[in-house]
Amino acid sequence: MKALVRFSDTPGDFGMAEVREPAVVPGKVKIKIAYCGICGSDIHIYNGFESGLPQGIHGHEFSGVISEVGEEVEDYHVGDKVTAEHTFSTCGVCEYCKTGRYHLCAKRKSIGFDQQGGFTEYIVVDPQYIHRVPDRVDLKSAALTEPLACIIHAIDKVDIQPTQRILIVGPGPMGILAGLTLLAYGCAVDIMGTLVDRERLEIAAKHGMNVIEKAESNFYPIVVECSGSNGGINICLDAVKKGGTILQIAIATKEITLPYHLLVYKELCIQATFCHVWKDWEQALSLQRDGLLDLSPVITEIEPLENWETGFDAMIEKKGLKVLLEV
């Protein structure tokens, strides 16, 4: 089968190759990939920031159709329209696994990182992490279930109230997804970025978010940090009101310098968030099924898998929002 492969840890050493198609084993399910989104973490890998990963086919935001079912699998059938979590396996016995926080398991293996990802034709997964795609949701939108589940997991960690005005700093794909989700929850959303984000901010404005150039100090009960930058995090510290919460969604890849004393003087809470669990995926699909959340504005480009360089370049240059690779 064809696949987009990382040949080495050298930055940019990606290319198309023929690889062996995975075989189904008892208890597993084989999915024919339809679409796989390019995530910021895939760009980090492409740029050489995550060396030493044990396999070379990445991509973890995918949707498709079940093509084969292994022995002992009863609940899924060939032809089912599905997506799947990028959790591949966990230990099952640690504190986190036993309390439903399996995404924090120290022995967790992830699709697209530790195990073969979705930038290819077929993938084999554990059925306990599969989610059926509702009839009303197309496979393009279903490929964004993973990033949407991340957003829902994050929002569930803070005290969101309808009609609250919330600030989002960073209008990338995750920032726009956060904005659309908060709007669906009944909040008012202000969003800001930099000059390079002009196209993305136009999309935000078109879909109900209020684009601002400067955030008012000590104003917002909750601010959502989606830039991962030193400047963005400091803007959040200034904009959040006393007793408020900073929801840290973006991953900072560089060292951050901030006025740490403000956490004390403003009695702030910084709520970090990582990944997702089962219920987040089901909620993500339910919001789409019920017509409460339309993800189509987030998909700004679809390229054949063979045109992966065009899609990667668009993400690197911050052109549009989410790029899907079609298999």
Side-chain angles (χ1 to χ4, degrees), residues 50-119:
E50 296 190 40
S51 61
L53 291 171
Q55 58 81 45
I57 301 176
H58 303 291
H60 56 272
E61 304 174 356
F62 60 89
S63 63
V65 175
I66 292 178
S67 62
E68 193 173 348
V69 176
E71 296 178 6
E72 303 172 10
V73 175
E74 298 179 353
D75 295 333
Y76 294 98
H77 305 90
V78 172
D80 287 352
K81 191 170 65 168
V82 296
T83 181
E85 301 177 35
H86 65 72
T87 293
F88 180 82
S89 64
T90 66
C91 75
V93 297
C94 70
E95 168 192 352
Y96 301 107
C97 288
K98 287 184 174 181
T99 57
R101 303 172 72 193
Y102 55 87
H103 61 302
L104 299 178
C105 174
K107 295 184 179 180
R108 174 177 175 264
K109 301 297 183 184
S110 299
I111 289 172
F113 299 89
D114 310 294
Q115 301 289 329
Q116 181 215 302
F119 290 146

Side-chain angles (χ1 to χ4, degrees), residues 148 151 155 168 173-186 189 203-204 207-209 292-298 321:
L148 179 57
I151 294 299
I155 291 174
I168 296 175
M174 296 302 280
I176 299 297
L177 274 175
L180 291 173
T181 305
L182 288 166
L183 289 172
Y185 283 19
V189 176
I203 295 172
H207 294 280
M209 288 167 252
L292 299 174
L293 189 55
D294 178 13
L295 298 187
S296 59
V298 185
L321 288 169

Side-chain angles (χ1 to χ4, degrees), residues 252-273:
T253 57
K254 297 180 180 179
E255 186 173 328
I256 301 296
T257 302
L258 51 81
Y260 199 71
H261 63 281
L262 290 179
L263 299 181
V264 175
Y265 293 148
K266 297 178 72 171
E267 205 171 77
L268 300 178
C269 173
I270 295 183
Q271 176 62 63
T273 178

